[in-house]
């Protein structure tokens, strides 16, 4: 990614398909990556604060360690996620872009929580939204549900 492109991403800010994290804390990123897979896909940029200020991965030698730990987090998801990693240099700092494509499956974290993305927010999915998510992913055929109150005239 060119520096001009990165500048535009940062100026655009967080949204449906973009998330910034200063650090790569596993407990914070698993839900984000799962939400991308369950929604429209997206990219997590590590080394950037929510306000768009760039800190980078410090020291840059930690990049491989971060990649390894994020891969472990992704493999613990059900079904496992397979992100793409990109090393970026911006304003003399090393950043990591972790991209997850929209998946035909519905994913959960290793702890079993399903997440979705709405705007710039990642949120756990409740039972009703789980049904909708399964329908959207073609994993639940509602035409086979029994509705007790239904009549033949319906």
């Amino acid at each position: 990614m060119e520096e001009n492109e990165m500048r535009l991403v940062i100026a655009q800010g967080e949204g449906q398909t973009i998330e910034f994290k200063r650090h790569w804390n596993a407990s914070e990123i698993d839900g984000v990556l799962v939400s991308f897979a369950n929604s429209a896909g997206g990219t997590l940029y590590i080394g950037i604060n929510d306000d768009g200020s760039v800190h980078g991965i410090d020291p840059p030698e930690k990049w491989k360690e971060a990649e390894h730990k994020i891969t472990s987090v992704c493999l613990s998801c059900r079904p496992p996620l397979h992100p793409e990693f990109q090393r970026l240099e911006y304003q003399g700092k090393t950043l990591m872009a972790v991209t997850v494509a929209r998946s035909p499956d519905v994913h959960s974290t290793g702890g079993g929580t399903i997440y979705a993305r709405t705007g710039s927010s990642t949120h756990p999915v409740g039972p009703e939204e789980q049904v909708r998510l399964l329908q959207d992913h073609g994993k639940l055929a509602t035409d086979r549900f029994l509705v007790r109150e239904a009549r033949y005239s319906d």
Side-chain angles (χ1 to χ4, degrees):
M1 176 179 286
E2 297 292 322
E3 190 147 328
N4 287 339
E5 292 174 293
M6 192 68 228
R7 188 175 296 112
L8 288 174
V9 167
I10 292 170
Q12 178 183 342
E14 294 183 317
Q16 182 72 26
T17 60
I18 295 172
E19 176 79 15
F20 300 144
K21 292 286 183 199
R22 181 173 181 173
H23 302 289
W24 45 269
N25 185 334
S27 64
E28 292 181 11
I29 64 168
D30 61 348
V32 172
L33 297 176
V34 163
S35 75
F36 284 155
N38 290 338
S39 301
T43 302
L44 168 65
Y45 292 93
I46 299 173
I48 303 174
N49 272 344
D50 289 344
D51 65 4
S53 57
V54 178
H55 292 276
I57 297 175
D58 192 32
E61 294 77 31
K62 294 261 186 189
W63 201 90
K64 273 294 187 199
E65 179 183 344
E67 181 182 24
H68 176 73
K69 290 191 177 191
I70 293 167
T71 298
S72 294
V73 166
C74 289
L75 292 176
S76 73
C77 294
R78 296 291 163 244
L81 297 173
H82 302 284
E84 292 180 21
F85 293 91
Q86 186 178 11
R87 185 181 189 122
L88 305 169
E89 298 296 327
Y90 181 70
Q91 295 180 344
K93 297 185 173 140
T94 301
L95 305 174
M96 177 183 284
V98 184
T99 301
V100 175
R102 183 185 196 283
S103 176
D105 295 314
V106 176
H107 295 265
S108 66
T109 63
T113 305
I114 297 172
Y115 287 90
R117 188 104 173 146
T118 304
S120 62
S121 298
T122 296
H123 59 89
V125 173
E128 290 179 7
E129 194 174 0
Q130 284 182 24
V131 170
R132 185 194 54 76
L133 197 57
L134 289 165
Q135 288 172 325
D136 289 350
H137 283 77
K139 303 294 181 185
L140 183 64
T142 56
D143 59 342
R144 298 192 182 245
F145 282 134
L146 294 177
V147 180
R148 292 183 190 167
E149 299 83 22
R151 305 281 179 248
Y152 281 109
S153 60
D154 292 342

